[in-house]
Amino acid sequence: MRLTRFTDLALRVLMRLAVEDADLPTTRDVAATMEVPYTHTAKVVARLQHLGLVEARRGRGGGLALTGAGRSASVGGLVRELEGAGDVVDCEGAAPCPLRAACLLRGALRRAQEAFFASLDPLTVNDLVAAPTGPVLLGLSAGPPSGAARA
């Protein structure tokens, strides 16, 4: 199973916000920290807001904050939501598979996909930022040393 870039980035944004305690980073800050384009990050943040996992505040002192629901969200549930309910293989696509009426592979792959999600269900976003990940994220979010130019 391979996650889409969107889901991968969404999980990394949530992890980044989970270690923030004082300064609220902007979408641009998060994009720079994660080394991904701002436009992709903005789309992810909008979806996470829609899901009630991230709060965005405008203006001076504004930025992004993880909600309580975002902190306690099941990683498996998030991945299911962001990836959608699609099958691992497309048996009904432009050139439908001739085996689709009697194939056992599709069901086996669906069960494997659900096992993948189920293995992530007990994990929360807070769990993902436990040591050693949290301290690394804090180091990334600290930005350049004091007095250094910020690009």
Side-chain angles (χ1 to χ4, degrees):
M1 173 94 199
R2 185 178 182 114
L3 299 180
T4 61
R5 288 184 64 205
F6 188 90
T7 300
D8 173 46
L9 181 55
L11 292 172
R12 291 190 287 146
V13 165
L14 291 170
M15 290 168 65
R16 165 66 172 81
L17 296 177
V19 298
E20 201 59 54
D21 50 342
D23 297 327
L24 299 180
T26 65
T27 302
R28 286 196 190 283
D29 294 336
V30 172
T33 301
M34 296 292 123
E35 299 179 3
V36 294
Y38 167 77
T39 54
H40 295 326
T41 308
K43 290 175 188 174
V44 165
V45 167
R47 180 74 189 277
L48 294 173
Q49 277 185 273
H50 179 75
L51 294 173
L53 305 173
V54 171
E55 181 180 283
R57 300 177 191 146
R58 294 185 178 263
R60 182 175 294 198
L64 303 174
L66 194 60
T67 65
R71 282 192 188 285
S72 62
S74 161
V75 174
L78 286 170
V79 172
R80 276 186 195 87
E81 177 70 32
L82 297 170
E83 289 291 311
D87 286 327
V88 175
V89 293
D90 186 10
C91 301
E92 308 293 335
C97 177
L99 301 174
R100 70 184 180 277
C103 183
L104 298 175
L105 178 61
R106 186 179 194 178
L109 290 173
R110 188 175 294 127
R111 287 187 300 278
Q113 180 182 31
E114 183 49 40
F116 172 77
F117 293 144
S119 71
L120 297 173
D121 282 340
L123 294 172
T124 65
V125 171
N126 267 350
D127 295 333
L128 295 179
V129 296
T133 306
V136 171
L137 280 166
L138 282 172
L140 293 175
S141 64
S146 183
R150 189 171 182 184

